[in-house]
Amino acid sequence: MGRGRVEVRRIENKINRQVTFSKRKAGLLKKAYELSVLCDVELALIIFSSRGKLFQSSTTSSLLKIIERYRRCSHNNPSASLVSSNNDIQDNYQEFLRLKTRVEFLQRSQRNLLGEDLQSLNDKELDQLENQIEVSLSHIRSTKREVITNQISDLKCKENMLQESNIALRKKLQEVVADDFLDSSMQEGDNNNMDADQLEFQPLEGDHPVEIGSNPSMGLLNGEFTEMPDDVEEFVRQWM
């Protein structure tokens, strides 16, 4: 019996789809290499996986040379302009599908990292997810410790600067207080000296000033004194 026709459609099972992709990709690359050798042709093959991974193969040393040659041929052939436009549209659509698939994959990965939609993952994928989370937590903790260490170092530097400023202000305050104390002490000493001089030269109460060179007896004879102290009267009576 001949082999039945296989219906070409998307494989729903993720593992089977990945295995089929790996096998058919290797077969396609092998067939492309055989075609280039047998027929002596330049051939370029570009494959993007569902996860956005690039696979490429070319018969020359540079894939860009074949692509540039294709562009020159497309622009020089007027009949190929419409085909080129359609190819651009198709390429854009393929790029859109690739980016859409990539976005869906990233969204699914984000949900998995948050602990959601884990039912579709097998044991191996769960182990990989767990290892990835542990590595991420290790990097986060390391970065956190580094940030805290830098903050502590900055705070210690600020503390040392504040302590030095405090010491300088204390010294300045002590100098100002000492200068004020010396000024007040000198001012009090000057005031005490002035009070002593005033007390030394102030005449006693009840005494009359006597001019230098004056003679009290002549004053008595001339009648200058209206009232005489008792001792002066006694002196005059003795001499009379």
Side-chain angles (χ1 to χ4, degrees):
M1 293 179 64
R3 182 179 179 182
R5 183 177 180 182
V6 179
E7 182 181 0
V8 179
R9 60 186 179 86
R10 184 177 183 271
I11 301 174
E12 297 298 333
N13 188 280
K14 182 178 180 180
I15 297 176
N16 294 337
R17 185 170 63 247
Q18 185 66 29
V19 172
T20 302
F21 172 74
S22 299
K23 290 182 178 180
R24 298 225 173 190
K25 175 177 65 66
L28 180 62
L29 294 175
K30 182 179 179 182
K31 291 294 183 181
Y33 172 75
E34 291 176 355
L35 178 63
S36 64
V37 173
L38 293 174
C39 301
D40 192 17
V41 297
E42 291 186 3
L43 185 143
L45 181 62
I46 300 175
I47 302 174
F48 286 100
S49 67
S50 60
R51 295 186 177 181
K53 190 174 182 181
L54 172 64
F55 300 93
Q56 63 181 12
S57 176
S58 63
T59 57
T60 60
S61 59
S62 176
L63 179 64
L64 296 177
K65 292 181 179 180
I66 300 178
I67 296 175
E68 186 64 27
R69 182 178 178 183
Y70 166 75
R71 288 179 178 176
R72 288 197 302 268
C73 293
S74 298
H75 289 296
N76 294 332
N77 188 4
S79 62
S81 60
L82 182 60
V83 177
S84 177
S85 177
N86 293 330
N87 290 334
D88 292 338
I89 295 174
Q90 186 68 21
D91 292 340
N92 292 333
Y93 180 72
Q94 293 295 331
E95 182 69 14
F96 165 74
L97 293 178
R98 186 183 68 82
L99 293 176
K100 181 180 178 181
T101 305
R102 182 66 175 172
V103 170
E104 291 177 353
F105 171 75
L106 293 176
Q107 290 177 350
R108 185 169 59 254
S109 299
Q110 183 180 7
R111 289 194 299 269
N112 293 334
L113 290 174
L114 294 176
E116 301 175 358
D117 298 340
L118 301 178
Q119 294 79 7
S120 60
L121 302 179
N122 54 24
D123 295 339
K124 184 177 180 181
E125 292 174 343
L126 289 174
D127 291 337
Q128 292 178 355
L129 180 62
E130 185 179 3
N131 293 331
Q132 183 180 358
I133 293 174
E134 289 179 355
V135 172
S136 300
L137 287 176
S138 177
H139 288 307
I140 292 172
R141 293 192 183 101
S142 177
T143 304
K144 182 180 179 181
R145 286 195 296 269
E146 184 178 357
V147 171
I148 292 175
T149 302
N150 293 333
Q151 290 179 352
I152 293 174
S153 179
D154 295 339
L155 290 175
K156 286 184 178 180
C157 292
K158 292 180 180 179
E159 181 183 3
N160 294 332
M161 294 175 61
L162 291 174
Q163 288 180 354
E164 292 177 357
S165 300
N166 191 10
I167 293 173
L169 291 174
R170 285 180 180 273
K171 290 182 179 179
K172 189 174 181 180
L173 180 61
Q174 291 176 358
E175 293 176 357
V176 171
V177 171
D179 293 339
D180 292 341
F181 178 75
L182 291 176
D183 293 339
S184 60
S185 299
M186 294 177 63
Q187 186 175 3
E188 289 179 358
D190 294 338
N191 292 332
N192 292 333
N193 292 332
M194 292 177 63
D195 294 339
D197 294 340
Q198 291 177 359
L199 291 174
E200 182 178 359
F201 293 101
Q202 183 177 4
L204 298 175
E205 296 181 357
D207 294 341
H208 297 283
V210 180
E211 295 181 0
I212 298 175
S214 61
N215 191 349
S217 60
M218 292 299 295
L220 290 173
L221 296 177
N222 294 329
E224 294 178 358
F225 294 96
T226 57
E227 294 182 359
M228 291 184 297
D230 295 338
D231 54 346
V232 178
E233 291 179 352
E234 183 65 26
F235 176 79
V236 172
R237 281 197 299 270
Q238 290 179 1
W239 285 95
M240 289 294 294

